[in-house]
Amino acid sequence: MTSYCTATYRAFDEKADFHKKAAGIAVGLTVGSWTELPEAKKKDMEKHLGKVVSVEVHEPEADAAPGSLAAQRYADIKIAYPDANFSRDIPALLVTAFGKLSMDGRIKLLDLDVSDDFRAACPGPKFGIAGVRERLGVYDRPLLMSIFKSVIGYDLPELKEQFYQQALGGVDLIKDDEILFENPLTPIEKRVEACIAAAREAEKHTGQKLLYATNITGRTSQLRAQAKKAIAAGANALLFNVLAYGFDALQELAEDPEIDVPIAAHPAFAGAIYPAQHYGVAPQLLLGKLMRLAGADLVLFPSPYGSVVMPKDETLAIADALKQPEGALKSSFPVPSAGIHPGLVPVLVKDFGRESVVNAGGGVHGHPMGAAAGGQAFRQAIDAALRGEALEEAANRPGNEQLKAAIELWGVKR
């Protein structure tokens, strides 16, 4: 029995016969031609022929705002591609479903529903939400992540001190900046050794475990060696710029049994792929489903409220793609990011729930009382949000002066 992976597209055109276009896609991206084939050959080729699943045409609405989706003529098209046509890897699937087609006018890839056979070839997250929580021993609240800032040009003692101050704030994870590459001042083994030593020292004061997501960079052929080098030095998590390297590179890392630490996927370069209405790949597929399928345990993406803003419906769709039940595939932590401060915590918890990560850079380092106080302010805000208490009330509790200073500086998002 033939199994299929199904792609969903949104094609825009004022005059096109969308049913004819769908038939052309199904044939053109699989067997190339059909009506010209002899009948005997059709029997042999049918198992390779793409199939039109559905075509839903949307005509413009007369009273719609100019430029809005409702004001345009488009069709949502579903095409099923036989698994027999491609190898069981994400690059092969992407080239089949949207390689040449991505250059064929105004068309956007909205979704990919993979077959059970294809999914079986993808490991998904090695740890997932449950496994990351188990490593940290934290089960009842959103996790808190902080980010190194101003790391280029810093030496190891400076980096270690910055890490230590963040760790004192009670964060659960600290990640490298995505632009921190291998360099003479902070080579990966020495960087890991210094930061893990700082984590152990901070744990004596905070009493909590901490994951350090070390940025894995370099030539693609050397990524696994770099990851293992970092782990040998003590790294207990990895950060990876997935879209610069490709989903297959992430899958190689996730599949390797010697890389036994959670992997956080950074969205760098995603803005070149998802934002256009008429082109590219929908964010819930790019940063949600495919990241999870390839093996990311945590996935960063722009939040709806910070400094790099993504529409709220898109961010929620990403989070849903990362967490919704998907057979044996483990769920991944959604990490809405960019411009996050303690005053945003209630809306983050409301919109993304407990199974999410609050991720902050400037919201930690920019705290008027220092980075340690910045982390503490976030923890106080998370506790208040879970109690259903207004941050202004929580800020007046004894011992919550860190939260008070944070909301005096940044305010509270309603």
Side-chain angles (χ1 to χ4, degrees):
M1 183 176 177
T2 303
S3 61
Y4 295 85
C5 291
T6 302
T8 302
Y9 309 97
R10 180 162 289 165
F12 296 83
D13 198 293
E14 288 76 21
K15 300 178 181 179
D17 180 338
F18 286 119
H19 290 84
K20 184 177 180 180
K21 184 176 182 67
I25 293 170
V27 174
L29 295 187
T30 56
V31 298
S33 62
W34 186 251
T35 56
E36 297 85 356
L37 292 175
E39 289 303 314
K41 189 63 176 175
K42 285 183 179 179
K43 291 180 181 179
D44 295 334
M45 296 294 287
E46 190 166 9
K47 66 181 179 182
H48 298 287
L49 177 64
K51 298 183 183 299
V52 178
V53 177
S54 63
V55 180
E56 296 180 6
V57 180
H58 299 258
E59 299 293 346
E61 298 175 14
D63 57 349
S68 67
L69 182 63
Q72 302 176 66
R73 184 173 185 270
Y74 66 93
D76 289 341
I77 298 170
K78 288 190 176 183
I79 308 290
Y81 297 96
D83 283 359
N85 290 7
F86 45 85
S87 50
R88 300 296 185 268
D89 57 85
I90 293 173
L93 176 59
L94 289 175
V95 171
T96 296
F98 205 50
K100 181 169 62 176
L101 186 60
S102 68
M103 299 175 275
D104 186 23
R106 295 184 299 162
I107 188 166
K108 187 161 189 170
L109 179 62
L110 299 184
D111 199 8
L112 284 168
D113 287 321
V114 301
S115 66
D116 291 341
D117 285 347
F118 189 94
R119 187 180 292 108
C122 298
K126 189 174 288 181
F127 295 87
I129 291 175
V132 172
R133 286 195 177 281
E134 185 176 355
R135 289 248 161 159
L136 292 167
V138 177
Y139 302 97
D140 57 351
R141 60 169 172 81
L143 300 182
L144 176 60
M145 176 189 286
S146 65
I147 309 167
F148 273 116
K149 287 296 178 184
S150 301
V151 292
I152 294 179
Y154 279 49
D155 59 20
L156 283 171
E158 292 169 316
L159 201 72
K160 183 177 180 180
E161 178 60 22
Q162 188 181 142
F163 188 101
Y164 180 63
Q165 291 301 321
Q166 294 175 84
L168 283 179
V171 301
D172 303 293
L173 308 99
I174 297 176
K175 79 167 191 69
D176 278 342
D177 199 304
E178 74 277 5
I179 61 171
L180 180 58
F181 305 106
E182 189 71 325
N183 66 88
L185 285 175
T186 55
I188 193 163
E189 303 105 314
K190 298 297 183 184
R191 183 166 88 239
V192 169
E193 289 169 2
C195 291
I196 293 299
R200 292 195 192 102
E201 186 63 31
E203 186 179 350
K204 297 175 184 177
H205 300 276
T206 65
Q208 70 178 75
K209 298 176 182 178
L210 187 151
L211 295 179
Y212 168 39
T214 311
N215 196 23
I216 300 302
T217 64
R219 299 294 298 270
T220 306
S221 60
Q222 299 301 310
L223 289 173
R224 283 196 288 177
Q226 281 289 90
K228 292 171 186 178
K229 187 189 297 184
I231 292 167
N236 53 12
L238 303 176
L239 177 71
F240 188 50
N241 292 308
V242 177
L243 296 175
Y245 288 97
F247 290 106
D248 202 49
L250 170 59
Q251 186 167 336
E252 289 275 346
L253 294 172
E255 284 180 335
D256 194 317
E258 295 181 44
I259 300 176
D260 193 30
V261 299
I263 301 173
H266 196 279
F269 205 68
I273 304 171
Y274 75 78
Q277 184 181 59
H278 302 115
Y279 307 96
V281 179
Q284 66 267 24
L285 175 60
L286 183 74
L287 298 175
K289 185 177 287 187
L290 291 176
M291 289 290 191
R292 180 182 178 188
L293 198 63
D297 298 287
L298 309 96
V299 181
L300 285 70
F301 54 89
S303 81
Y305 346 93
S307 56
V308 180
V309 176
M310 179 183 281
K312 185 175 179 180
D313 60 333
E314 294 182 358
T315 64
L316 295 178
I318 293 171
D320 185 58
L322 293 172
K323 294 193 291 185
Q324 67 183 357
E326 195 75 36
L329 200 66
K330 293 176 182 176
S331 56
S332 306
F333 259 121
V335 189
S337 307
I340 303 299
H341 58 75
L344 290 170
V345 167
V347 291
L348 283 166
V349 173
K350 174 178 176 290
D351 290 340
F352 296 96
R354 291 177 186 240
E355 303 296 3
S356 63
V357 178
V358 177
N359 181 32
V364 169
H365 297 283
H367 194 282
M369 297 165 64
Q376 291 160 0
F378 272 103
R379 286 293 302 274
Q380 293 159 11
I382 290 170
D383 290 345
L386 294 178
R387 290 193 302 267
E389 182 181 19
L391 290 192
E392 293 89 345
E393 294 179 17
N396 290 320
R397 286 176 175 265
N400 279 8
E401 60 271 11
Q402 297 90 346
L403 177 58
K404 186 176 182 66
I407 62 176
E408 285 175 354
L409 177 62
W410 286 298
V412 176
K413 170 77 174 178
R414 300 296 181 192

